Each structure stands twice: as C-alpha cells, then as structure tokens.
Amino acid sequence: MVYFILPNYRLQFEFANYQCINQLTMDIYIFLQLIIVSIAATSAMTLFSYAASASFRELYKEPVLLTFMLTRLHLELAPQTKSILAWLLHYFIGFLFVLAYHFLWVRDILPISFLSAFLLGFISGVIGILGWIIMFKLSDHKPEIDFKGYYFQLLLAHIIFGFIATAVYSLSITILILAKSYVTV
C-alpha cells in the first residue's frame, strides 16, 4: 500500500482528509434529518392551524397571515410570489426551531422525551406568539382576527410541533442506528 511507503505526515494528512469527508457526510445526513423533521412538524402544526381556522371560522392560518404581512411591507411582488415566499418563510422558521431542538438534544441539555417535547413546543409557542405580537405592532394595518383566539391556537399548534418534531427526530435516530448496525460500507 502507498500509505505505508509515504512519510508519516502523509498518512496523518490522508486520515485527516478521511475524517473531514466523513464529517461532511455526517453533516449532510444530519441536515437532511433536520429538514425531514422540520417538514413533518411544520406540516402537522399547519394542518392543526387550518383545522382550527375552519372549526372556529377565524383566520388562524400562519402562511396566509405571513402573506398578509408581506403585503403590508409594500413589496413589489406578484401575489402568488408573496404567497410562495410566505410558505417558504413559514417552513424556514420551523427549520430554525428544529435546529435549536437538535442542539439542545445533541448537547444533552434536554433529553428526547415526552416532557421535553411539551416543554420545547410550549416555549416555541411563546416565542411564536411574541413574534406575531411584534409583527402586528409594527404593521400599519392589522388583520381582522380574534387575536386572543389566534394566540391560544398558536400555542397549541406549537405544542403539536414540539411533539411531532421529537417523535420524528427520535424515529430518524432509531432508523440511522439500525441502518448502521446492518449496513457496512
């Protein structure tokens, strides 16, 4: 083998490159895992918001409200583009929450558990409510919605987000562990 003939520093360089490539591969897997978790959790939360909106005959749909807020910014965009941008922003915010959860779990600050799922969802809900309060305060025109009902629904939606994010994250870790134990490369 060439590695044994070359000087020791070359062997260390090759090993460092292998570790770097291996780390990059793991980072891609983690990124994809977090994307899947955030899509699942944000979709579940949004589905709940749409169901609550239909049940109470109120506008509790976050992407629709984000589109409204983008319209208030007087952006020179087509209505369809604003709607797409609002949906992307909604899912991006969901990804940021999942990324924060990931760091809390990986650093063993919180365990992956039912209680931490509730706690993370509740805290995310409070953050979401504060974010919407600020956005509505900064807006020169507020939508005609039941704000108290919206904020309560938003808190429940984020608790659902926390539960789904935790469940899908836990399931994805289990699948990765099983795959690594049965598949060798």
Side-chain angles (χ1 to χ4, degrees), residues 10 21 43 47 54 61 63 75 93 98 113 120 134 143 147 150 156 165-166 170:
R10 176 73 177 165
I21 291 169
S43 297
L47 184 62
K61 303 170 183 176
L75 298 174
I93 292 167
V98 168
S113 69
L120 289 170
I134 291 168
F147 287 98
Y150 175 65
L156 294 178
T166 303
S170 180

Side-chain angles (χ1 to χ4, degrees), residues 22-115:
N22 194 28
Q23 182 63 40
L24 178 63
T25 304
M26 287 308 296
D27 289 345
I28 290 170
Y29 286 134
I30 290 169
F31 178 74
L32 290 175
Q33 174 193 18
L34 298 180
I35 289 287
I36 292 167
V37 171
S38 65
I39 288 171
T42 306
S43 297
M45 171 190 159
T46 305
L47 184 62
F48 174 80
S49 294
Y50 271 67
S53 188
S55 294
F56 296 106
R57 296 180 186 188
E58 291 284 345
L59 179 58
Y60 294 156
K61 303 170 183 176
E62 291 85 9
V64 174
L65 290 169
L66 282 169
T67 302
F68 175 81
M69 297 307 289
L70 290 174
T71 302
R72 295 286 111 207
L73 292 174
H74 305 292
L75 298 174
E76 295 295 324
L77 298 171
Q80 182 70 17
T81 305
K82 287 179 190 174
S83 179
I84 291 169
L85 188 59
W87 277 95
L88 290 174
L89 182 60
H90 182 56
Y91 275 88
F92 179 72
I93 292 167
F95 177 78
L96 293 178
F97 276 119
V98 168
L99 186 63
Y101 296 3
H102 171 73
F103 283 115
L104 291 171
W105 291 325
V106 168
R107 304 213 190 292
D108 285 329
I109 296 170
L110 282 176
I112 300 173
S113 69
F114 186 80
L115 182 60

